[in-house]
Amino acid sequence: MTDFYIAGAGGAGREALDICVALGQEVTAFVDDVVAGQLVRGHVVCLPEDTAAGALYVVAIADTDARVKVSRLLDELGLRAGKLIHPSAVVGPCAILGDGLVVHANTTISSGARISAHCQVHYNATVGHDTELEDYVTVLPGANVAGNVRLETGATVGSGAVVLQGRTVGAGAYVGAGAVVTRDVLAGTVVVGSPAAQLLGTGR
């Protein structure tokens, strides 16, 4: 059986372990240089350099920059990105799911959605038909992303937020919790409120 690692031993990592338990997926170890040598829920935590080349991994870290750094390091060490999809998640026909994807319980990914590498879709979130998530996108718990939406690289949709049909959220942008996105969001900005408006002092 191929080794399987969860990169990140914090809250997101333990939630990823919950998915593994639901799937019956054996976990070799957590990978986390901050708490290496400790046990987390009965699993050893190792350093990245102590992993096995050819093994599978997912990065269960909420911070986008850290997720990018760790995934690239593990790729360089010869590991391969896997997927974790909770058995209660609903994935529609013709959806394309990229490597490194983590999908939590009670989520819906609708028909024709296209999800790229190392994305995360958290508890009770929805991703509508024909919506595209570029690399390293995060959709936090309870968010509702409508159809034909484009979430560009590294974008985050906060808990309970709504992105309406056909909108684009630019690369690295952050949609605050509970916000309602009614028009496109510029790259690198933070938007809050309903309708969502740019938070002063953010953006390029």
Side-chain angles (χ1 to χ4, degrees):
M1 182 177 292
T2 303
D3 287 343
F4 190 94
Y5 295 92
I6 297 173
R14 287 181 278 118
E15 289 180 339
L17 179 60
D18 293 342
I19 302 174
C20 291
V21 170
L23 291 168
Q25 168 67 57
E26 294 290 332
V27 174
T28 306
F30 287 101
V31 181
D32 194 320
D33 52 9
V34 175
V35 292
Q38 299 183 27
L39 285 177
V40 173
R41 281 182 50 185
H43 291 77
V44 69
V45 183
C46 69
L47 293 168
E49 54 265 34
D50 294 329
T51 55
L56 295 172
Y57 75 91
V58 294
V59 182
I61 299 172
D63 180 82
T64 303
D65 290 341
R67 202 185 316 160
V68 172
K69 179 180 178 181
V70 172
S71 64
R72 289 177 178 172
L73 173 60
L74 293 176
D75 288 346
E76 290 170 0
L77 290 170
L79 284 75
R80 297 174 293 130
K83 297 183 185 74
L84 281 181
I85 301 174
H86 195 281
S88 70
V90 176
V91 179
C94 303
I96 298 172
L97 307 180
D99 293 336
L101 175 64
V102 178
V103 176
H104 290 266
N106 302 317
T107 59
T108 299
I109 296 172
S110 193
S111 178
R114 301 177 304 283
I115 301 182
S116 297
H118 300 290
C119 293
Q120 295 180 358
V121 183
H122 287 255
Y123 299 100
N124 304 309
T126 60
V127 175
H129 66 84
D130 304 305
T131 282
E132 181 176 1
L133 277 60
E134 295 185 352
D135 295 345
Y136 300 101
V137 164
T138 305
V139 181
L140 289 172
N144 184 329
V145 180
N148 287 306
V149 168
R150 182 181 180 88
L151 303 180
E152 295 183 344
T153 300
T156 298
V157 180
S159 298
V162 176
V163 182
L164 296 184
Q165 179 98 0
R167 301 281 70 84
T168 294
V169 178
Y174 193 101
V175 177
V180 178
V181 173
T182 60
R183 58 185 180 180
D184 293 348
V185 176
L186 296 175
T189 60
V190 177
V191 296
V192 297
S194 177
Q198 183 176 336
L199 194 64
L200 294 178
T202 69
R204 297 167 183 163

